[in-house]
Amino acid sequence: PGKSLLNLFAYTCGVGNAAAKASARFVVNVDFADSSISVGKENARLNELPLRPRFVKCDAFAAMRQYAGIGQPERVRGKVMPPFPKLEAQNFDLVFLDPPRFAKSAFGVVDLVNDYASVFKPALLCVAEGGTLICTNNVADVQRDVWLDQLQRSAAKAGRPIREMEWIMPEADFPSSDGQPPLKIALLRV
């Protein structure tokens, strides 16, 4: 209650709508797909939320860079970027980061196996001082300790060291091919 939330790679905006239902002060759901944003809006309507979340149809990289205050140029290496909404720099109490395993756009590449830092760093820069970043990696090939080390190094380079970390483990019946849960969720306080 009373916190602001940025839900990145929001898909159907479930996390953002749940936060609004739980009395968040301000909620922003970001996804590039019209279909996902439409489902999120309809779910918000059906749940009669006490707060109307904001729905931003935008590439997550362009949104993160703007909210983080880095900015998103309209031209990169001489190429005109696809249209994107203009967003004011803003930090959030909570940032939820649940990227796909791999995705490529004009704004950047998501590669959870080889370069999680490319999405982690701009998301981290959207978190308010003393805030929390909840980040996921559902790739079984990525070991939990290796992933955490990458997150810690990336946070230190960004000048936003992790003050506290907590693993959120899936339920015991979560499907796994090797007995180790492939879903990794870290709750990081910065």
Side-chain angles (χ1 to χ4, degrees):
K3 298 206 182 250
S4 59
L5 170 81
L6 174 60
N7 182 20
L8 297 164
F9 301 96
Y11 308 110
T12 58
C13 310
V15 168
N17 288 340
K21 190 72 170 181
S23 302
R25 175 177 47 84
F26 183 66
V27 173
V28 177
N29 292 298
V30 175
D31 201 276
F32 75 97
D34 280 323
S35 57
S36 294
I37 294 293
S38 293
V39 170
K41 287 179 178 178
E42 178 63 5
N43 285 340
R45 186 190 67 74
L46 290 171
N47 281 283
E48 300 174 2
L49 301 176
L51 156 85
R52 180 159 173 17
R54 183 170 180 200
F55 299 91
V56 178
K57 182 188 174 298
C58 184
D59 184 281
F61 283 108
M64 287 186 288
R65 288 182 187 122
Q66 292 180 82
Y67 283 133
I70 300 168
Q72 175 61 58
E74 294 182 9
R75 292 178 145 298
V76 176
R77 293 183 212 95
K79 291 179 69 176
V80 175
M81 299 303 283
F84 57 90
K86 305 304 182 248
L87 305 168
E88 294 294 320
Q90 179 176 354
N91 288 134
F92 296 83
D93 299 312
L94 297 164
V95 173
F96 191 82
L97 177 63
D98 185 15
R101 177 185 177 121
F102 185 86
K104 188 174 183 180
S105 77
F107 297 97
V109 175
V110 175
D111 184 349
L112 301 192
V113 176
N114 299 307
D115 188 16
Y116 196 94
S118 67
V119 291
F120 177 73
K121 181 181 176 184
L124 177 66
L125 294 174
C126 294
V127 180
E129 187 72 29
T132 301
L133 173 62
I134 301 170
C135 50
T136 68
N137 187 338
N138 59 8
V139 180
D141 299 347
V142 177
Q143 297 299 313
R144 190 168 52 167
D145 294 338
V146 172
W147 183 57
L148 179 59
D149 181 60
Q150 186 180 33
L151 297 180
Q152 290 171 325
R153 283 185 287 119
S154 187
K157 284 181 186 177
R160 302 292 307 279
I162 298 167
R163 295 180 182 167
E164 185 180 337
M165 195 286 296
E166 174 186 340
W167 289 110
I168 301 173
M169 300 301 291
E171 298 295 321
D173 63 347
F174 192 85
S176 172
S177 61
D178 64 358
Q180 297 299 313
L183 181 64
K184 293 166 262 319
I185 303 175
L187 184 90
L188 308 168
R189 290 184 184 80
V190 295

